[in-house]
Amino acid sequence: PSASVLQPLRTPCLAPAVQVTKTDQRFMLRGKLDTLLATVILAQTQFDPKDRLPGFLKDCLNDLKNWVLQVLAAEVDGGEPEISGMGGMDATTLHTVSLAPERYLKTGHCMADASLGGNVALLNWLRALARETEIEALRSLPADGGVCVALNRLSSAPYVLMPPTNSGANNASGKLG
């Protein structure tokens, strides 16, 4: 294509006919969401390489991927994300469980450490990246809006997966909590 057809490198599009600078907060949020999605997909490919954990944990990673896709779609079109939750729990329940794992998961808070292995490390990375993405969203969107709330709850989801992942094959129940 000719140079006149190409958009300038410093003015990407947020939407058709909406060009912004690369320092625009919404554009930076879009980049964080892309990174979060790519990281979830990478985690799916690396999680439980010896296939020792219950399959529902892998299904939960797919739920996380769908969650990020819903948030991304809502950010693009300005709508509300339709989050179905993870592992049979809605977003509010996941948040509640993350605050009191002793009560719901029968284990204390799982503090990530290299000794817990690669699966827990991947989940902790997803949790931290979800939190970074939420902070980026708060710079450009209403704090009480659907995207920010969905991202806040999203960071709870990998955290809730950490204890059953850490307990490994001992958690053969096929469910959370």
Side-chain angles (χ1 to χ4, degrees):
S2 71
S4 62
V5 175
L6 297 175
Q7 68 184 20
L9 293 176
R10 290 175 283 171
T11 57
C13 289
L14 277 181
V18 180
Q19 289 188 321
V20 296
T21 65
K22 288 194 175 188
T23 58
D24 181 87
Q25 292 296 328
R26 291 273 309 276
F27 185 73
M28 291 194 290
L29 171 59
R30 191 83 50 90
K32 281 284 188 187
L33 286 165
D34 286 344
T35 301
L36 180 58
L37 179 59
T39 305
V40 171
I41 293 167
L42 179 63
Q44 286 180 295
T45 69
Q46 302 299 310
F47 192 81
D48 192 22
K50 295 181 181 175
D51 205 28
R52 293 182 178 167
L53 296 172
F56 84 95
L57 292 171
K58 292 180 183 177
D59 294 341
C60 288
L61 287 176
N62 198 57
D63 292 342
L64 290 180
K65 181 190 75 172
N66 292 332
W67 193 325
V68 176
L69 286 169
Q70 288 295 322
V71 170
L72 182 58
E75 191 282 325
V76 169
D77 70 20
E80 294 290 315
E82 295 179 23
I83 306 303
S84 59
M86 180 192 75
M89 286 193 255
D90 65 27
T92 301
T93 302
L94 282 164
H95 182 68
T96 301
V97 171
S98 75
L99 296 174
E102 308 87 9
R103 179 174 180 191
Y104 298 102
L105 300 175
K106 310 299 185 234
T107 184
H109 286 276
C110 184
M111 302 309 292
D113 185 84
S115 67
L116 300 179
N119 293 324
V120 172
L122 282 170
L123 293 171
N124 191 53
W125 185 22
L126 291 176
R127 181 202 57 76
L129 192 53
R131 181 68 69 217
E132 284 182 17
T133 306
E134 174 196 2
I135 291 166
E136 191 67 48
L138 289 167
R139 291 185 176 123
S140 60
L141 299 171
D144 60 351
V147 167
C148 289
V149 171
L151 287 169
N152 176 269
R153 298 304 184 247
L154 176 62
S155 68
S156 298
Y159 184 77
V160 167
L161 287 178
M162 288 166 64
T165 298
N166 183 37
S167 65
N170 296 331
N171 183 4
S173 65
K175 63 180 181 175
L176 295 172

